[in-house]
Amino acid sequence: MYRQEERQIKDWIFSKEKTALLLTSARQVGKTFLIRQLLKQTGADYVEFNLIESAKFNETGAFLARLSVTTDQMP
């Protein structure tokens, strides 16, 4: 089911050149589950920011505004 995605994500995890990973698809198909599972399987260190579930980030959108400023991107 996830064979192609697993390979691509594992390639990203083990890549020496770290760039952002953007994984898109329909809602509720297991994207977050797959990434968490592969990170645990590989023993990779990671930090997760959940902007949906965290009220601290969700209240004012300040985090996203600061993020856009630090990346020189407009939301």
Side-chain angles (χ1 to χ4, degrees), residues 23-31:
L23 183 62
T24 61
S25 77
R27 296 181 68 228
Q28 301 293 312
V29 296
K31 296 179 296 289

Side-chain angles (χ1 to χ4, degrees), residues 11-12 14-20:
D11 288 348
W12 176 79
F14 292 117
S15 170
K16 296 195 187 278
E17 182 181 319
K18 291 298 180 201
T19 57

Side-chain angles (χ1 to χ4, degrees), residues 27-52:
R27 296 181 68 228
Q28 301 293 312
V29 296
K31 296 179 296 289
T32 302
F33 174 82
L34 178 62
I35 290 176
R36 286 177 181 158
Q37 179 185 16
L38 292 174
L39 287 168
K40 288 177 185 174
Q41 283 178 3
T42 61
D45 293 329
Y46 68 96
V47 176
E48 179 178 336
F49 296 98
N50 188 323
L51 302 179
I52 302 295

